Amino acid sequence: MLSLVPGPIQTYFSSDTLHIDATDAARIEAEYPIEFLNTLSFNGYPEHHIDLKVFTPIMLLRNLNPAIGLCNGTRLMIIYLGHYVIKGLIMGGTFNWKTVAIPRVVLNINDNRWPFVLKRRQFPVRPLLRHDHQ
């Protein structure tokens, strides 16, 4: 549980935008406001709202740079939480204990349930410790 780890929680929010056909833009933007887009959750993609702490484990959700060990599914321990970058130590494998930096990236989410492509700018990570909301 995240609350058992000492230290402050750093909260990261995504920047969500729509990529849509210009002819439907006004209608779709009115039907799907940003507040609604922020509630959407997709398998294999980061959440809009991520709570992290230093010395907690995370899993990388994208291949960022396989040559240095940043592959989908890589587990890391956070050692630094910045505004533009997260630094972590890779846990396991060929790159065990290598220090790496993870930037925020823009991910295009195309789901057939929605008449748009969601562009989510967020750190491509998932916390491996759950946040216990009270």
Side-chain angles (χ1 to χ4, degrees):
M1 302 280 239
L2 199 56
S3 64
L4 298 176
V5 178
I9 291 176
Q10 177 69 46
T11 300
Y12 294 101
F13 294 98
S14 69
S15 172
D16 294 342
T17 57
L18 294 176
H19 179 72
I20 46 182
D21 183 22
T23 58
D24 293 335
R27 179 185 61 80
I28 290 176
E29 287 173 353
E31 288 180 25
Y32 302 100
I34 295 297
E35 295 79 14
F36 171 75
L37 300 178
N38 295 162
T39 68
L40 297 177
S41 181
F42 302 92
N43 285 336
Y45 290 91
E47 300 291 331
H48 163 68
H49 173 247
I50 302 175
D51 287 331
L52 300 173
K53 283 187 177 185
V54 172
F55 302 122
T56 59
I58 56 174
M59 182 174 63
L60 193 60
L61 298 176
R62 286 288 174 275
N63 289 331
L64 294 181
N65 189 343
I68 63 169
L70 291 177
C71 302
N72 184 24
T74 299
R75 279 140 172 85
L76 304 104
M77 181 179 18
I78 298 169
I79 59 172
Y80 171 79
L81 292 168
H83 185 70
Y84 301 106
V85 71
I86 294 172
K87 291 184 182 176
L89 296 173
I90 294 176
M91 298 188 305
T94 305
F95 299 96
N96 196 31
W97 300 115
K98 178 177 177 62
T99 301
V100 292
I102 301 168
R104 289 182 191 249
V105 297
V106 176
L107 300 164
N108 294 324
I109 305 168
N110 192 356
D111 188 311
N112 293 334
R113 295 177 293 172
W114 308 108
F116 54 78
V117 173
L118 177 65
K119 295 175 79 100
R120 177 164 283 173
R121 185 174 183 265
Q122 178 63 290
F123 290 107
V125 300
R126 173 156 295 149
L128 295 178
L129 291 181
R130 291 173 29 121
H131 185 53
D132 49 332
H133 296 284
Q134 296 173 344

